[in-house]
Amino acid sequence: KRQVKNAEQIIKWSFNYESLIRRLENQLLKWVNNCDWTQYKIIGFSVCFHQLFASLAAARAIKNKASQVPIVFGGSSCSAGAGQSLLNAFPFIDFIIEGEGEERLLALCDYISGLRSSTLPENIFTRKSGSQGALQRKSLSVTKQLASLGDLPVPDYNDYFATQKQWFSHTPFIPVLPIEFSRGCCWNKCTFCNLNIQWCGYRYKKAAQVMHEVKTLVARHSCLDFTFVDNMLPATESRHFFKMTTEDHSDFNFFAEIRSAKGKVPLGDIFSIYRRGGLSTVQIGIESLSSCLLHKMQKGISVIQNLATMREAQENSLSLEGNLILHFPGSTQ
């Protein structure tokens, strides 16, 4: 006990916030100064979850080195009013893309290069020249998105692996690659969630397409570890997918976010299929073990369903991660 206590004191005494900030800033500037940013025609940041402040720091440092290169921000943290406020508050941001990014980013690249279009594509913010930061906003169209995720190609991670090999060639490395099964949320009613405001509706790929992507990435990068970036897996297609990975007999390892729900197929059977197919860790939107709080959050889930989900995960040897939301508005002690 004395050793543990002394270790805690050492950790507490050795932590210095200002020193940590200086080290982070020095590392950032070292990275920025080692790259010729003027070689690029556009520099983009995809911003979600906890990425905003780091992206702002990097964007400002890059702009100081290459003021003429346009910087664009996009992602869920830039949707709705947040995107406009970012553009107003931070002059080193040149464009904000609102909504789904692929087609809009392609159109913005064409616009900057002077190809195809001489006008700014819709759902993109910028500043009018000479208007002291006033926003120019094209008409919004939340339905202007990919009609089908089946049109998406297999993700290209070659640059990532090339950079890793260049800088860390002698470092043991087990990659975990992100893959995408779906976009949006079929429930989309939780009062605390803003993860789906850049999308309209819930779309997902067929199991065969996701399996093709996984097999392609395995062959390309010798990688067996994957993390699904979905807010929730599509119920039926994900079962088909994990049956395919079971039959493949490869030593796959997957992480995914799922939703506590009571459906036609028993949850224990679903988790059994997931686990045999290589899903090892799940993050479940537990949020609370209080009925009144779940009701206020509009989760559509009961406490007993949350408990049943946790139990079934344990019984099927699934490592379970989850969140409990504290101090939710209207909650009591």
Side-chain angles (χ1 to χ4, degrees):
K1 291 182 178 179
R2 186 179 297 110
Q3 289 177 341
V4 172
K5 184 177 181 181
N6 291 339
E8 291 176 348
Q9 290 176 340
I10 291 172
I11 293 173
K12 182 178 180 180
W13 292 338
S14 64
F15 179 79
N16 185 292
Y17 179 77
E18 296 298 331
S19 174
L20 177 62
I21 293 300
R22 286 194 298 271
R23 291 181 64 181
L24 288 172
E25 185 175 20
N26 290 337
Q27 189 65 29
L28 171 63
L29 294 178
K30 179 181 178 181
W31 169 68
V32 170
N33 292 332
N34 284 336
C35 180
D36 178 17
W37 299 99
T38 60
Q39 64 181 305
Y40 302 109
K41 293 185 178 180
I42 186 171
I43 298 170
F45 291 82
S46 181
V47 188
C48 184
F49 289 121
H50 310 295
Q51 299 168 319
L52 178 59
F53 294 122
S55 297
L56 290 171
R60 181 176 63 179
I62 292 172
K63 200 69 171 179
N64 289 336
K65 294 288 292 184
S67 59
Q68 75 278 16
V69 181
I71 291 179
V72 55
F73 272 42
S76 62
S77 294
C78 303
S79 296
Q84 299 179 60
S85 63
L86 287 173
L87 198 57
N88 277 332
F90 302 102
F92 47 82
I93 302 176
D94 299 291
F95 299 99
I96 293 285
I97 294 180
E98 184 181 60
E100 190 167 78
E102 286 93 346
E103 292 184 340
R104 293 186 178 96
L105 180 58
L106 179 60
L108 178 60
C109 291
D110 287 344
Y111 170 78
I112 291 175
S113 301
L115 302 174
R116 301 184 191 179
S117 175
S118 60
T119 59
L120 192 65
E122 63 178 351
N123 290 52
I124 297 177
F125 307 146
T126 188
R127 293 179 182 84
K128 291 181 180 179
S129 58
S131 62
Q132 297 181 347
L135 286 171
Q136 175 186 0
R137 181 174 182 174
K138 297 297 181 179
S139 59
L140 292 177
S141 175
V142 295
T143 58
K144 186 174 177 56
Q145 59 185 18
L146 294 171
S148 170
L149 300 187
D151 297 331
L152 291 171
V154 177
D156 185 349
Y157 298 122
N158 286 322
D159 285 348
Y160 171 78
F161 281 93
T163 302
Q164 188 277 332
K165 186 176 181 180
Q166 176 184 358
W167 291 99
F168 305 101
S169 58
H170 301 295
T171 303
F173 176 63
I174 300 177
V176 180
L177 296 183
I179 52 174
E180 183 181 48
F181 212 137
S182 64
R183 292 182 183 180
C185 175
C186 64
W187 178 249
N188 201 24
K189 297 178 183 179
C190 298
T191 56
F192 57 83
C193 181
N194 74 335
L195 297 178
N196 304 291
I197 57 177
Q198 76 270 38
W199 292 311
C200 181
Y202 182 58
R203 293 160 295 158
Y204 53 85
K205 301 172 183 175
K206 292 293 186 180
Q209 179 184 354
V210 181
M211 188 65 192
H212 169 70
E213 291 185 14
V214 167
K215 295 291 288 182
T216 301
L217 293 172
V218 168
R220 188 181 294 168
H221 304 298
S222 301
C223 173
L224 292 170
D225 294 56
F226 298 90
T227 178
F228 284 104
V229 298
D230 308 38
N231 291 329
M232 59 177 295
L233 289 180
T236 302
E237 288 298 321
S238 63
R239 293 199 298 273
H240 293 331
F241 169 77
F242 285 112
K243 289 178 181 178
M244 292 178 182
T245 57
T246 301
E247 295 170 357
D248 189 83
H249 300 294
S250 297
D251 189 19
F252 293 120
N253 183 60
F254 296 97
F255 163 85
E257 294 190 27
I258 63 174
R259 172 177 164 80
S260 265
K262 183 178 180 180
K264 297 180 180 179
V265 180
L267 193 58
D269 294 347
I270 295 174
F271 281 3
S272 177
I273 294 171
Y274 285 174
R275 188 67 190 94
R276 291 198 305 270
L279 185 65
S280 63
T281 307
V282 291
Q283 179 174 308
I284 301 172
I286 299 296
E287 324 305 0
S288 176
L289 297 174
S290 162
S291 296
C292 62
L293 271 182
L294 288 171
H295 179 71
K296 290 177 180 178
M297 296 174 182
Q298 298 183 24
K299 279 290 295 184
I301 295 295
S302 66
V303 172
I304 196 65
Q305 287 173 327
N306 270 339
L307 294 174
T309 302
M310 296 163 67
R311 180 198 66 198
E312 294 293 352
Q314 184 178 29
E315 291 185 353
N316 286 278
S317 301
L318 284 168
S319 297
L320 186 145
E321 299 176 357
N323 300 306
L324 293 178
I325 298 179
L326 305 180
H327 304 290
F328 185 81
S331 60
T332 64
Q333 194 64 36

